[in-house]
Amino acid sequence: MAGTTLKSSSTGPALLLNVLNVLCIILFAYFTYTNFNILTFVEIYIIVSVIIQVLMLVSLFNVHPRKISNVMEGIICWIGSSLVFHTIAVLYGAPLFSSVSETFHLAMLLATTAALPGLMVLGIRKEEWTRLFFKTSPSSALEISILASGVCSVLGAWLGAFPIPLDWDRPWQVWPISCVIGTLAGYSCGLIFATCFILYQNMKGSKSKLF
Amino acid sequence: MKIKRSVFILGCVCLEVLGFLVFLKGFFPVKSAISGHASFIDLPPQPIQDKFTQAETPSLPVPPLFGRMVIVLIDALRADFVFNTTKDRGMPYVKDQITKQEAVSFVAKAHPPTVTMPRIKAMTTGGIPGFIDVVLNFDSKSLTEDNFITQLHRNGKKIVFYGDDTWIRLFPEHFLREDGTTSFFVTDYTEVDDNVTRHLPDELERTDWDVMILHYLGLDHIGHLAGPHSPLMGPKLKEMDGIMEKIHKAVIKQDSDLELPTLVVLCGDHGMSDQGSHGGSSVTEVSTPLVLLSSLYSNKKGVQFDWSTLQQIDLAPILSTLMGVPIPQNSLGALPTDVLWKYDLRLALRAMQLNAHQVALVYKQNVANYEKKFVFIQYEQAIKKHESWLHKYYNKEVALDEQSAYYVMKAYRDSVVAMRDQVARSLASYDLYAMIIAISLLCMVPMGIVAALFSPDGSSVQVPSCGTVRWLCVASGVVAVAGHFTVCTTSYKSELLCPGTSGIPAVILVVVTGGIVFTMGASGILLLTAFLAVVKSLLVQMTRLPIVTKCFLLGNVLHTISLLSSSFVEEEHQTWYFFTMTVHMAVTGLAIWSYKDQLEDENKISDAVSTTLKDAFNTDQTNCRKPDQKHAEQSGNCFRTVVHPSSELHEVSPSNELHRNTSSVSNENTGNSRRKASSRVNLWTVFGMLIVLMLCRLLRSWNQTGIKWADQTDIGDWLVSPENKLALSVIVVVSLAVITFLLMSLTDDQFLKIMVFIAAVGIFTFKAANGGLVLPGIYSEVTKGVLEARVVYAVVALSLLYTAHKTVRNLKLQPYNTQTFLQLTKSLLVLWTLTITLLMRPHNIPLVAQILLQQVLISRCVVDIVEAFSEDSSVIFLYIWMGNAAFFYQGNSNSITTVDVSAGYVGLDGYSPVLIGTLMCAATYAGPVFWFLALLVKLTERRVLRGKVGKQLKESFLQLACLLILSQSIPNAVYTVLVTLQRYHLFVWSVFSPKLLYQGMTLLVTFLQVVFILMASFMLEKVLLITN
Ligand SMILES: [Zn+2]
Ligand SMILES: [Zn+2]
């Protein structure tokens, strides 16, 4: 990542998007803290998050809505990725027949935080995905955010499974609440990390411009 | 000074075992019972000084209340099975007697571990057996400690016994007539009980016995099979109830002709958890009923039922007193007042006094300065109360009622209970000094192993030996010895290590422990310096380690940390399932990704191939190491990936196996590895990976284990239930076919192939003979299947001899032939798989097939991808992790409840503790050892395929030994520290101690594995000498 040169024009909007996403999560956590139903929480969050992403991307980045067929493909990939995440959760030990809806909500959330931004910005071109996620060479501030938040939200979901076996008998230990919390926490951490990283890069960039 | 690496490793593993043994000895104090038997000879007189009454009341024992006794012990009878009788589950007749107030009943709490043999010992001796008794459970020698069965026998009572043959082993030559049944057929719950009941009509006719003991096992077997809520439970309890009714009615009829009435006792040795097992300390496992029935209590003369609770060990003084024999001398049981009301009040108090006196004797022996303790004063005050009561009694001052006697009895009982608690606590005293010594030993081992792993010279370990170090060693040894003998003079002195306290002569102990402590101090410094010597290179090498190895290390660190939480200890299987799943998931992701890459490449290849192919092949030749013909087509893949348009050829660094990833993990490196990985991926790899993932998921739901989700139904439960016996049989046949096929494809040897087939048939017939499976027409009745099992053992032994012979012959004929080693390791894997298939319960045979399939797929697909990113150590870690997961797939857990006892009796018809222990250990560690052998095969295979057997293989074997010890010694060091700190924790007996025993057992298995590896590497060295 170190060698990446950032297009300064896209930095500001990317930061704005990150901050907005993090704020969105914090607000959600705050409002649903007392009255917590995991399913509605996830549903509403996904809707809000999708709206924010689409609006921001269209208005700030001039990402023209691609042809309708591309949008359709993207949506199909998004649903497909939630199915893949669902399968992964079941393989990790989520019940196969019971609480299917809960598991699928987590899968949708993961698809939204980890796959959707990538789908919107990178499209479904595989080379782009390989470049970003395997070679970790993002070409813009936006891509840094996508990379960091995607990896961190999956990592967060993974870490979120750890407290489940503890015998504390807390309501948040019930499947999949801790994983949902982990996903969102990871996602926010990724965004914050990306923001800091972009700022740091920018400062370095401006310095080198000065001298 | 240089020490040979193998010798150094052997030293380390021995040190580890020694340290762990010392820790166990310090942590589990073995109670030393006083030998000898109680008698009526030196009983205390009644506490009254009055000369005139003294003559009248000499030191007489309490006369018996009952002349005969029938003990009906129903294994795993839980208190609520009797007391909460409902319409479809329970014992209506007994419950009726209780509610009609024609019985005396209690809830008797068993001490954990709730396993049959320690419970029988506790009930008869009245002592609290130490936790370590579980380990000795399978080594049931005759009971030499004083107990009431022996007391009855010595006092001329004739005893007859029918039921669990544990009793016959514990009390040899005690019984007039006996017929033992083994708890061997765990699947049988009718035969075991019919074997007992068939003697009943005859015995009830006879009058030549005084005590009859019946131990019914069927209920326990139903519990293990199907749990307490199974539909089999109701009829079984009804049957038991019918037996109680029959005995009670027959006995009441006979009582009219007898001088003293007969007592019928209904009790259980332990309860049953809601999953149907026992061993732990949950309420359901420890509460058992105790019901006394007799004609003496007829016509509402019993005691009203009120859930009053006593300890199971109270049974010893109760029954001894009621039968008029001395209370066993080590008993800690307290007489409850409720059983004494049929006595004259003076005698009831006398009985209480004798009980208190006997417990006080035990108390005095176990507690120092007992005279000043409040508990003892309490006891003396009770005697004073007794005395004043007797004064009134003999002087007939006032009319004495039950109430006045009750106060005295209560004072006695309170003091007995208090004394018992103190003794129990003193029995649980830890040998802290020994524990600390052990911990410091255990901490030294990881340092030594790290030194061995990272020593710059491959074949030996550098131990600094300059003058300063030598002097430091001597100094530290001297300090250690001085410290040791100083501690021994203080109150922290150790029973085990200090002279004077144990039975060993002081001089020997001084010399031996002094020598040990000196060596310890000196070798501590040596290991420390050896460790410090590699620390610098360690830090450098750590950063150089490939990312995959780092991830594996992180996993092991997380596992060690997880042991600090008792719930993670209970749910340890979740940790391993989670980790192994993550590894496979990552590998699958990579495989799919790389595979798709190739598809695209294939499209683009036609135009690129002509220009770059030649160059690419020349440059990247080192990267495609595929000498094997089977993978010949893959070398084609190798070309293709190399000409990937986006891959820059100049990035490819020459692939040096061990020091490949020397730079930090960068794009370049990952890309490089990815290309290597993709060169090994084809459609089958992806397919195989997906099957591995599904098998992991299937295996984890085969046997639900742990605590939190243990009650969830699993596939094993479904297979075990009697109505699915046919389905189970079909599935087992299919699994055996799969196992046979896979094992046959593993070995090239015709003889072994035939042996595998014979063994598979033998295994099936054994399981069918055993009653676990259906084989219509041949096995109509249940037998032990000794012959069938022995045929399989013989096949395995024969094959082992054959393999050994062949190996020696091949080595003599062609010492250069590297295939010999591969064939040897493969044969070992085959034979081990056959052995564990024989030992496993029928529903776990499909599990063996799955694990075998998993192993085949992993060794074909996963390893290639993993090693593209890393070196040997990652493969070793992967296999060790899979072994850990397999341990839990089998249904094992960190609680003693889940040990499969029946595996110990496969093919045995007599009782042999060593054999049974070995078989049980083999069955329990079937999975880990399987993966260990599979790892040996894999490591050998990789070298052989590259034509580099010998030195490199020896290296990687030694690395394996190091990593095996390291993956045990680090958790052990951390865990022993934790247990020492938490030794007064609530969960110490239910969670920490069983885990400690499991760690010890695992360490033993690891020790054997390490010794095996060292022998193998020694052999390799010899062969190397010949070949060079
Ligand atoms: Zn039992
Ligand atoms: Zn049992």
Side-chain angles (χ1 to χ4, degrees):
Chain A
M1 264 195 259
T4 329
T5 47
L6 299 169
K7 280 175 252 168
S8 54
S9 59
S10 68
T11 314
L15 292 181
L16 192 61
L17 184 63
N18 290 356
V19 172
L20 216 69
N21 273 324
V22 174
L23 275 181
C24 172
I25 290 171
I26 293 171
L27 277 179
F28 252 83
Y30 179 74
F31 282 120
T32 48
Y33 180 68
T34 44
N35 188 8
F36 191 79
N37 179 330
I38 191 69
L39 297 188
T40 38
F41 174 84
V42 170
E43 279 157 18
I44 298 173
Y45 175 76
I46 289 174
I47 293 168
V48 172
S49 166
V50 168
I51 291 172
I52 291 178
Q53 313 266 344
V54 171
L55 284 182
M56 290 290 288
L57 285 174
V58 172
S59 63
L60 293 176
F61 289 88
N62 302 321
V63 177
H64 295 294
R66 291 167 220 274
K67 283 177 240 155
I68 289 301
S69 65
N70 271 3
V71 174
M72 280 310 289
E73 273 176 6
I75 290 174
I76 289 169
C77 278
W78 178 40
I79 295 170
S81 64
S82 14
L83 286 176
V84 169
F85 278 122
H86 187 101
T87 317
I88 290 176
V90 169
L91 285 174
Y92 262 107
L96 183 57
F97 299 113
S98 58
S99 56
V100 177
S101 162
E102 281 85 349
T103 312
F104 194 67
H105 275 77
L106 174 70
M108 281 201 303
L109 182 67
L110 273 168
T112 312
T113 54
L116 187 63
L119 282 171
M120 283 201 281
V121 174
L122 303 175
I124 48 168
R125 279 165 301 160
K126 205 195 150 204
E127 313 89 75
E128 292 283 283
W129 283 80
T130 312
R131 175 180 58 79
L132 186 56
F133 282 96
F134 276 79
K135 297 186 179 163
T136 54
S137 53
S139 63
S140 69
L142 192 58
E143 286 188 354
I144 292 178
S145 307
I146 290 169
L147 175 66
S149 62
V151 170
C152 287
S153 57
V154 172
L155 207 65
W158 190 79
L159 287 172
F162 276 81
I164 298 178
L166 291 168
D167 61 353
W168 297 341
D169 292 325
R170 296 292 152 86
W172 52 264
Q173 278 179 287
V174 177
W175 171 254
I177 299 177
S178 59
C179 285
V180 167
I181 296 170
T183 310
L184 289 179
Y187 184 54
S188 329
C189 286
L191 289 173
I192 293 165
F193 171 75
T195 311
C196 298
F197 186 75
I198 294 165
L199 286 176
Y200 172 71
Q201 288 283 321
N202 259 22
M203 267 162 61
K204 249 182 27 184
S206 57
K207 259 183 201 166
S208 65
K209 253 178 224 165
L210 278 175
F211 297 107
Chain B
M1 181 172 61
K2 282 181 177 176
I3 302 175
K4 242 179 102 188
R5 211 164 158 208
S6 48
V7 177
F8 188 81
I9 292 171
L10 186 67
C12 281
V13 77
C14 289
L15 198 64
E16 175 82 15
V17 172
L18 176 75
F20 209 85
L21 282 180
V22 172
F23 188 85
L24 284 182
K25 197 91 172 111
F27 188 72
F28 296 113
V30 179
K31 187 185 67 168
S32 48
I34 310 142
S35 56
H37 298 275
S39 68
F40 286 137
I41 292 167
D42 30 44
L43 290 181
Q46 287 195 80
I48 184 157
Q49 299 301 316
D50 204 320
K51 281 271 148 43
F52 137 77
T53 46
Q54 189 67 58
E56 215 175 80
T57 59
S59 317
L60 281 180
V62 180
L65 196 59
F66 296 99
R68 299 199 308 168
M69 174 164 71
V70 182
I71 300 177
V72 181
L73 196 160
I74 301 175
D75 211 283
L77 186 67
R78 209 160 81 180
D80 63 319
F81 289 169
V82 177
F83 299 141
N84 286 351
T85 293
T86 56
K87 204 161 86 253
D88 44 69
R89 193 182 75 176
M91 304 182 67
Y93 177 79
V94 178
K95 175 74 186 181
D96 197 40
Q97 297 294 312
I98 295 168
T99 42
K100 269 162 58 191
Q101 222 176 312
E102 300 199 343
V104 182
S105 57
F106 306 93
V107 177
K109 291 256 186 239
H111 285 90
T114 45
V115 183
T116 304
M117 153 96 132
R119 293 294 89 224
I120 295 175
K121 276 191 187 170
M123 284 197 304
T124 52
T125 60
I128 303 169
F131 195 87
I132 206 74
D133 262 33
V134 191
V135 184
L136 309 175
N137 185 13
F138 309 105
D139 175 29
S140 48
K141 284 173 287 189
S142 66
L143 189 56
T144 47
E145 205 182 325
D146 195 15
N147 62 81
F148 85 82
I149 303 292
T150 309
Q151 285 292 350
L152 289 169
H153 181 65
R154 287 161 64 94
N155 285 280
K157 308 276 184 195
K158 300 275 181 297
I159 312 173
V160 293
F161 173 79
Y162 301 102
D164 187 352
D165 60 0
T166 311
W167 287 77
I168 296 172
R169 287 198 299 272
L170 282 178
F171 309 108
E173 291 160 23
H174 278 57
F175 304 128
L176 181 66
R177 283 183 296 280
E178 61 187 22
D179 183 16
T181 52
T182 48
S183 56
F184 170 68
F185 309 106
V186 190
T187 48
D188 161 49
Y189 47 86
T190 26
E191 200 89 349
V192 273
D193 288 354
D194 291 346
N195 266 341
V196 179
T197 313
R198 69 191 158 115
H199 297 283
L200 202 53
D202 186 37
E203 286 296 341
L204 286 176
E205 295 276 296
R206 287 170 183 261
T207 49
D208 60 344
W209 53 266
D210 302 294
V211 178
M212 173 155 71
I213 302 170
L214 308 172
H215 186 144
Y216 283 100
L217 285 167
L219 191 77
D220 178 62
H221 290 185
I222 290 179
H224 286 298
L225 265 180
H229 302 291
S230 94
L232 299 167
M233 216 62 180
K236 179 51 82 180
L237 285 169
K238 274 270 160 54
E239 181 195 333
M240 294 294 123
D241 192 48
I243 289 159
M244 285 303 292
E245 183 174 1
K246 198 158 141 197
I247 296 172
H248 189 213
K249 284 189 171 153
V251 151
I252 286 179
K253 219 199 245 158
Q254 292 167 1
D255 275 355
S256 48
D257 310 329
L258 292 169
E259 199 181 325
L260 283 170
T262 308
L263 175 69
V264 183
V265 184
L266 170 68
C267 57
D269 58 343
H270 48 75
M272 185 188 288
S273 69
D274 273 330
Q275 292 80 51
S277 57
H278 54 87
S281 54
S282 67
V283 181
T284 47
E285 283 164 280
V286 300
S287 4
T288 65
L290 174 61
V291 183
L292 309 180
L293 295 169
S294 170
S295 58
L296 201 68
Y297 302 127
S298 294
N299 303 322
K300 304 201 187 307
K301 283 184 199 143
V303 175
Q304 205 168 4
F305 173 64
D306 62 349
W307 286 101
S308 54
T309 304
L310 42 80
Q311 303 276 324
Q312 203 182 31
I313 53 172
D314 296 342
L315 201 68
I318 293 174
L319 297 185
S320 307
T321 306
L322 295 181
M323 290 300 287
V325 297
I327 299 173
Q329 64 176 7
N330 295 320
S331 157
L332 287 171
L335 271 178
T337 49
D338 280 351
V339 298
L340 299 173
W341 294 126
K342 295 294 152 203
Y343 279 112
D344 169 63
L345 285 182
R346 186 188 67 82
L347 283 175
L349 285 185
R350 173 73 177 152
M352 284 311 267
Q353 185 211 350
L354 290 181
N355 179 221
H357 170 77
Q358 175 266 324
V359 174
L361 283 180
V362 182
Y363 177 75
K364 284 175 192 169
Q365 238 144 11
N366 281 289
V367 178
N369 301 326
Y370 60 88
E371 306 93 341
K372 289 169 197 142
K373 294 275 157 64
F374 172 72
V375 177
F376 195 72
I377 296 165
Q378 212 179 338
Y379 164 62
E380 284 172 334
Q381 279 168 351
I383 296 178
K384 293 237 169 62
K385 280 184 190 165
H386 188 189
E387 190 179 351
S388 69
W389 191 91
L390 280 178
H391 265 292
K392 289 176 197 159
Y393 176 84
Y394 283 115
N395 299 333
K396 299 193 172 61
E397 279 176 8
V398 277
L400 290 169
D401 56 350
E402 278 188 4
Q403 200 63 36
S404 62
Y406 177 74
Y407 287 129
V408 183
M409 284 158 96
K410 190 162 181 320
Y412 268 130
R413 194 178 145 78
D414 288 349
S415 73
V416 169
V417 170
M419 283 192 286
R420 161 167 80 203
D421 290 350
Q422 289 243 319
V423 174
R425 214 167 302 143
S426 83
L427 288 181
S429 67
Y430 302 100
D431 194 339
L432 204 57
Y433 178 55
M435 281 154 76
I436 288 170
I437 294 262
I439 288 172
S440 43
L441 282 174
L442 290 175
C443 289
M444 274 153 62
V445 177
M447 282 198 299
I449 291 297
V450 168
L453 258 180
F454 291 96
S455 65
D457 180 6
S459 59
S460 60
V461 182
Q462 186 79 39
V463 177
S465 58
C466 60
T468 337
V469 175
R470 253 179 245 164
W471 282 114
L472 258 177
C473 283
V474 174
S476 121
V478 171
V479 169
V481 171
H484 171 68
F485 289 108
T486 319
V487 171
C488 279
T489 55
T490 66
S491 61
Y492 293 105
K493 67 170 189 263
S494 156
E495 294 251 331
L496 178 66
L497 303 172
C498 289
T501 38
S502 58
I504 312 164
V507 184
I508 296 175
L509 211 62
V510 167
V511 173
V512 170
T513 59
I516 290 174
V517 169
F518 182 85
T519 329
M520 235 185 75
S523 57
I525 289 290
L526 274 181
L527 287 175
L528 189 66
T529 45
F531 176 70
L532 289 176
V534 299
V535 158
K536 213 175 132 199
S537 70
L538 172 74
L539 288 175
V540 177
Q541 291 193 30
M542 270 299 207
T543 52
R544 280 182 187 172
L545 284 179
I547 184 119
V548 183
T549 314
K550 275 183 194 155
C551 288
F552 276 111
L553 280 176
L554 178 72
N556 275 358
V557 169
L558 284 178
H559 167 248
T560 307
I561 294 171
S562 82
L563 292 180
L564 301 181
S565 147
S566 63
S567 18
F568 275 125
V569 172
E570 282 170 344
E571 306 289 330
E572 198 189 342
H573 56 287
Q574 301 282 0
T575 314
W576 290 118
Y577 295 167
F578 200 72
F579 284 174
T580 49
M581 184 49 93
T582 304
V583 175
H584 295 318
M585 202 66 93
V587 171
T588 314
L590 278 172
I592 293 175
W593 207 263
S594 316
Y595 171 63
K596 277 201 194 153
D597 261 2
Q598 277 182 0
L599 282 188
E600 283 163 23
D601 297 342
E602 270 164 40
N603 299 333
K604 291 173 187 166
I605 196 161
S606 50
D607 48 321
V609 78
S610 55
T611 47
T612 30
L613 182 67
K614 215 162 193 174
D615 275 355
F617 186 55
N618 291 338
T619 326
D620 209 44
Q621 206 168 16
T622 42
N623 264 2
C624 14
R625 20 190 164 82
K626 285 278 170 280
D628 195 84
Q629 295 97 325
K630 278 181 207 164
H631 302 277
E633 28 122 19
Q634 281 197 354
S635 59
N637 289 349
C638 215
F639 300 40
R640 272 175 236 151
T641 37
V642 167
V643 278
H644 189 294
S646 69
S647 66
E648 296 89 349
L649 286 171
H650 57 81
E651 274 183 11
V652 178
S653 59
S655 108
N656 180 342
E657 252 302 281
L658 288 164
H659 304 286
R660 183 173 350 114
N661 295 303
T662 42
S663 61
S664 65
V665 185
S666 61
N667 299 347
E668 185 185 319
N669 219 319
T670 328
N672 196 355
S673 308
R674 229 186 94 236
R675 226 164 297 130
K676 257 184 235 151
S678 67
S679 72
R680 297 138 194 261
V681 173
N682 58 24
L683 187 60
W684 289 109
T685 321
V686 174
F687 190 59
M689 279 316 305
L690 291 177
I691 293 180
V692 167
L693 287 181
M694 280 189 285
L695 281 177
C696 281
R697 182 66 178 89
L698 189 62
L699 283 167
R700 70 172 278 156
S701 40
W702 207 266
N703 289 303
Q704 203 58 255
T705 168
I707 301 287
K708 205 171 173 180
W709 296 283
D711 51 337
Q712 282 185 2
T713 46
D714 50 43
I715 301 169
D717 288 344
W718 185 84
L719 288 174
V720 162
S721 68
E723 63 268 22
N724 296 325
K725 205 169 172 184
L726 189 65
L728 176 66
S729 307
V730 173
I731 293 172
V732 167
V733 170
V734 174
S735 314
L736 280 172
V738 171
I739 293 173
T740 316
F741 174 74
L742 289 177
L743 289 184
M744 280 184 174
S745 66
L746 201 62
T747 169
D748 303 326
D749 195 297
Q750 287 303 323
F751 178 76
L752 275 185
K753 281 185 180 182
I754 296 167
M755 283 307 175
V756 167
F757 183 74
I758 298 174
V761 173
I763 289 166
F764 186 79
T765 48
F766 166 70
K767 298 290 171 195
N770 212 349
L773 299 175
V774 198
L775 187 59
I778 299 181
Y779 292 103
S780 48
E781 63 182 61
V782 174
T783 61
K784 275 190 181 179
V786 175
L787 181 68
E788 288 87 347
R790 283 184 182 173
V791 166
V792 182
Y793 284 139
V795 165
V796 170
L798 197 65
S799 312
L800 201 60
L801 283 176
Y802 170 79
T803 311
H805 170 73
K806 203 176 117 187
T807 310
V808 171
R809 196 193 56 194
N810 279 356
L811 282 180
K812 268 185 192 151
L813 283 177
Q814 331 159 267
Y816 296 95
N817 194 343
T818 50
Q819 289 288 335
T820 312
F821 291 100
L822 188 57
Q823 279 171 8
L824 175 64
T825 46
K826 276 184 172 173
S827 315
L828 287 178
L829 182 64
V830 169
L831 296 181
W832 178 257
T833 314
L834 289 177
T835 317
I836 61 175
T837 316
L838 176 71
L839 295 180
M840 290 274 181
R841 301 263 288 275
H843 75 272
N844 268 350
I845 291 180
L847 192 111
V848 178
Q850 290 172 57
I851 291 179
L852 193 59
L853 184 61
Q854 207 182 27
Q855 186 267 326
V856 170
L857 290 174
I858 286 177
S859 76
R860 292 261 170 87
C861 314
V862 183
V863 169
D864 277 350
I865 297 171
V866 167
E867 83 183 342
F869 287 86
S870 173
E871 15 92 352
D872 268 359
S873 63
S874 298
V875 180
I876 294 175
F877 274 127
L878 175 70
Y879 275 62
I880 293 179
W881 283 18
M882 286 311 294
N884 290 336
F887 178 78
F888 294 106
Y889 288 149
Q890 287 171 235
N892 287 325
S893 71
N894 280 329
S895 141
I896 309 165
T897 319
T898 49
V899 176
D900 180 14
V901 186
S902 66
Y905 293 85
V906 171
L908 300 185
D909 52 2
Y911 182 80
S912 153
V914 179
L915 274 179
I916 289 175
T918 315
L919 289 179
M920 270 170 49
C921 182
T924 311
Y925 286 90
V929 175
F930 173 84
W931 281 100
F932 166 73
L933 290 171
L935 178 57
L936 290 187
V937 172
K938 189 69 208 174
L939 289 178
T940 321
E941 194 174 45
R942 291 177 59 200
R943 306 296 166 191
V944 169
L945 286 183
R946 276 173 234 155
K948 284 188 271 187
V949 79
K951 197 165 156 49
Q952 282 212 1
L953 184 57
K954 196 189 143 213
E955 288 278 297
S956 87
F957 272 10
L958 289 184
Q959 192 186 12
L960 166 63
C962 285
L963 290 180
L964 272 176
I965 304 173
L966 201 62
S967 67
Q968 282 297 309
S969 62
I970 291 179
N972 279 350
V974 173
Y975 198 68
T976 44
V977 171
L978 169 86
V979 169
T980 310
L981 294 178
Q982 299 275 315
R983 60 193 183 282
Y984 297 113
H985 193 276
L986 187 62
F987 292 150
V988 74
W989 299 120
S990 58
V991 180
F992 292 135
S993 309
K995 175 64 183 164
L996 204 61
L997 292 184
Y998 271 105
Q999 283 297 110
M1001 217 45 224
T1002 316
L1003 180 64
L1004 183 68
V1005 173
T1006 311
F1007 173 75
L1008 293 175
Q1009 289 172 347
V1010 168
V1011 169
F1012 180 80
I1013 296 169
L1014 292 179
M1015 272 161 55
S1017 71
F1018 180 73
M1019 205 171 96
L1020 275 171
E1021 205 173 78
K1022 280 272 168 299
V1023 173
L1024 272 179
L1025 280 180
I1026 300 169
T1027 49
N1028 288 343

